[in-house]
Structure formats: C-alpha cells, structure tokens
C-alpha cells in the first residue's frame, strides 16, 4: 500500500462521525429553566422531549404511570416539530411541565382531566417559542453592536462575557415568564375546574383513545 493510500486511510479514520392551591415551588421553575436551556445553551435535544421530562418528573414526584400517559400526548402532539434551519419549534418543555404541575396541584388522574389540562397548556409551547425567537433577535442586535464596537476600538474579540450574559438573561426571563404563566393557569383552573368537573367525571374517555 502506497503512502498516499495510507494517508487517505488515516484521514478517514480520524474523521468518522384537589381543591388545594399550594404556592408555586422553586423546583417547578428550576425544571423549566433546566429543560428550556437545552434548546440552545446545551445541544442535547433528546432531553427536551416530553417523555424524558416525564421520567425526570416521575423520579422526583412519583406516579410514573399517569405522568408518562400525559407526556405521551405532548410527545405525539409535537412529534413533527423538530429544529431545522432557522425554524424555532414550539417549546414542548413549557407545555409539558405546566401540564404536569396542574395535574399535581389539583390531584388530577383521569383521561378526561388530562385532556382538559393538555388543551389548556398546549398554547404555552407556541408562546415560549415566540419568546425565544424574540430573545434571539435581541441577542443578535447586542452581538452586532458589540462586534462593531470592538472593531472600532481595534480590541480583541472576547465573546465569553457576552455569552454568559445571554445565558443569564435567558434563565431569568424564561424562568420569570414561566412562573407568571403557571400562576395564571393555576388561578384559571381553580375557577374553571369546579364548573367542568361534572362533565369530566361523566366522560367515558380512556387512555387508549
């Protein structure tokens, strides 16, 4: 085997590819910020999937069966929404964790109750996707101004501080927005659930449907 062939082989080898309304808990905000950060702070898209979130939730809160049943709905609902190019997919973490929180707060377990919760929380996926898009636009503007200023000053480009500030902003803004959204949903469901409970309790819906 010639030297050229050996060089090609080496390159190939090296380049293979309840009626009770408890106060919001800090861990609910923590869960949302943690899984939302996987969208762009850490490229681990699998951990953002509703079923994976459900497994983490069940490990901390218990009730694996009902948790995964609700998460299957979110998983199938957003199954075709994958990051591609410049498209920002719906934030499934927001809807999933809000739904799990409502099921836990109001001790909901039946398929009809889960469907009602899913219908009320799915909009969060679109809203937080839009929020992320707005954050990206702002960060692009900040980056452009920073790069222009460094060029005028002929200073070395050091993006580390810029990246840290962007990640802190993401955690604070999305954490606060999720807390407000979840508090609003709990207040709305506290009023709406007593009115729809007769219909939910008489529903013949099953998990298989």
């Amino acid at each position: 085997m010639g030297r050229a062939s050996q060089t090609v082989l080496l390159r190939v080898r090296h380049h293979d590819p309840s009626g009770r309304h408890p106060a919001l808990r800090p861990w609910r905000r923590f869960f949302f910020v943690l899984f939302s950060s996987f969208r762009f702070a850490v490229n681990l898209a699998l951990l953002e999937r509703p079923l994976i979130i459900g497994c983490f939730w069940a490990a901390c809160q218990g009730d694996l069966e009902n948790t995964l049943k609700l998460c299957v709905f979110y998983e199938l609902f957003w199954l075709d929404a994958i990051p591609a190019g410049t498209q920002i997919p719906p934030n499934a973490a927001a809807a999933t964790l809000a739904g799990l929180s409502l099921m836990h707060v109001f001790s909901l377990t039946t398929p009809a109750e889960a469907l009602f919760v899913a219908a009320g929380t799915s909009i969060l996926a679109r809203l937080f996707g839009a929020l992320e898009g707005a954050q990206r636009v702002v960060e692009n503007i900040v980056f452009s101004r920073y790069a222009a200023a460094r060029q005028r000053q002929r200073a070395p480009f050091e993006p580390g501080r810029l990246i840290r500030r962007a990640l802190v902003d993401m955690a604070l803004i999305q954490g606060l927005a999720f807390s407000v959204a979840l508090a609003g949903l709990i207040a709305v469901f506290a009023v709406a659930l007593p009115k729809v409970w007769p219909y939910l309790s008489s529903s013949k819906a099953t998990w298989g449907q």
Side-chain angles (χ1 to χ4, degrees):
M1 183 180 295
R3 181 174 296 177
S5 300
Q6 292 177 346
T7 302
V8 170
L9 281 176
L10 286 173
R11 288 179 178 175
V12 169
R13 288 173 184 171
H14 286 298
H15 290 84
D16 277 344
S18 72
R20 292 181 298 107
H21 316 306
L24 291 178
R25 306 284 184 182
W27 53 262
R28 290 182 188 144
R29 294 189 291 272
F30 166 77
F31 268 125
F32 173 73
V33 172
L34 171 66
F35 288 104
S36 185
S37 68
F38 291 132
R39 294 170 67 80
F40 52 92
V42 182
N43 189 18
L44 296 175
L46 179 63
L47 293 180
E48 192 201 349
R49 302 306 303 183
L51 280 176
I52 304 300
I53 295 174
C55 289
F56 276 90
W57 179 279
C60 296
Q61 298 297 314
D63 197 11
L64 177 64
E65 182 179 357
N66 286 328
T67 295
L68 292 185
K69 285 176 180 177
L70 180 64
C71 289
V72 164
F73 170 85
Y74 291 112
E75 185 72 40
L76 296 177
F77 194 70
W78 303 115
L79 188 61
D80 61 342
I82 59 175
T86 58
Q87 183 229 2
I88 299 177
N91 192 328
T96 302
L97 289 169
L100 291 172
S101 296
L102 290 173
M103 295 284 286
H104 179 74
V105 167
F106 295 103
S107 301
L108 307 178
T109 57
T110 68
E113 292 168 344
L115 182 60
F116 182 67
V117 167
T121 56
S122 293
I123 186 62
L124 292 186
R126 291 292 182 187
L127 292 177
F128 278 90
L131 175 61
E132 181 181 330
Q135 284 184 272
R136 292 190 184 190
V137 170
V138 171
E139 295 303 333
N140 285 339
I141 295 173
V142 172
F143 175 80
S144 298
R145 291 177 177 175
Y146 173 81
R150 304 301 281 185
Q151 187 174 9
R152 286 194 304 269
Q153 299 169 3
R154 296 182 179 180
F157 188 74
E158 299 175 351
R161 183 177 179 183
L162 200 65
I163 294 172
R164 288 192 295 271
R165 188 195 64 79
L167 294 179
V168 170
D169 287 349
M170 180 277 298
L172 293 177
I173 293 173
Q174 295 210 13
L176 178 61
F178 182 75
S179 299
V180 172
L182 184 56
L185 282 172
I186 290 177
V188 170
F189 271 68
V191 174
L193 275 176
K195 298 180 179 179
V196 300
W197 249 318
Y199 304 100
L200 298 179
S201 60
S202 62
S203 172
K204 297 181 179 179
T206 63
W207 289 111
Q209 293 175 330

